[in-house]
Amino acid sequence: MNINDKAPFETYVADGQRYQEMQYRRCGNSGVQLPALSLGLWHNFGQVDSFANSRAVMRAAFDLGITHFDLANNYGPPYGSAEETFGRLIELDFKRYRDELFVSTKAGYDMWPGPYGNGGSRKYLISSLDQSLKRMNLDYVDVYYHHRPDPNTPIEETAMALDSLVRQGKALYIGLSNYNTEQTRQALEVFKQLGTPCTIQQSEYSMLNQTVEKGLLDLLGDKKVGMIAFSPLAQGALTNKYLNEKPVDSRANREHSYFDHQLLKEQLPKITALAKIAASRGQSLAQMSLAWLLNDIRVTSVLIGASSVQQLSENVASLQHSQFSEEELATIRAILATKE
């Protein structure tokens, strides 16, 4: 792997007060406690990104009490490079802290050419985790997710593959991602029969995307499965920086961006109204958006990304004011229910 920044760093010693301020929540019916905010490495940890910045962000996250770091086999770009960056950071800074880290990765989307490079087959899932462990310099991951349902593979085969990886000690827990309510229900029944419970479900959830509220959150709560929300800021739409115009250096203008320009255009009236409520609470729109998700006790953790230490710190500061009055919640719900 080619590293584009070789800036020297002093030996890392984690902040001794790192567990004093962060909130931790029990993940479903397991013994796992996750930080209210977890760090996702979907963006800003690829080969195209500054290694020095990635290193600084991960150090800062751990110092703030963030113990959960979330990856996938194809995060980058290029594919695999986020795991490679993470693996280098493990060797340089975090090897001594491995037992304090909760690391997850996933497989399900396109990773390598041919019929065995994506999906939910036993061959793909087991091969992918073996590759991920090598890239990350780890003996095991704490959670291994199936990244998406595969209509061409029986759920029994996918579940049995995940179950076998737990029994081999390559993953401590298993999870699902991007499964809808009925798909999740079917998968949970198979896991129950196998005797290896599904610990956590990862789904997109934000003020602008509340699909999980149409049954999935109820199912997870009933079955005592943890829920972790990704894209909580709708890829940046729920931030103050887009209220007027897109800044030149924003993610929306980057070559590898997933930003939904149409979403921003359609939802701008709602976003503007929400920003006014956030300002009245003494928060940025991003901070209020994160706090709002955590207001639901069924949400174990919220995955945040960070392009800088400053952005990370600002997001974590949302935990300092995470409570809402009934009036605030009612007003927010009314805004979100407004038809475009």
Side-chain angles (χ1 to χ4, degrees), residues 281-303:
R281 287 169 48 86
Q283 291 180 305
S284 68
L285 176 56
Q287 290 171 330
M288 185 183 78
S289 299
L290 297 173
W292 182 81
L293 289 173
L294 291 166
N295 192 65
D296 191 322
I297 61 173
R298 295 170 297 184
V299 177
T300 308
S301 184
V302 175
L303 273 175

Side-chain angles (χ1 to χ4, degrees), residues 1 41-42 45-47 71-87 136:
M1 176 181 178
L41 278 63
W42 182 16
F45 281 78
Q47 187 175 317
L71 298 110
N73 57 358
N74 62 354
Y75 286 178
Y79 291 169
S81 60
E83 289 183 332
E84 290 178 351
T85 296
F86 184 79
M136 294 190 289

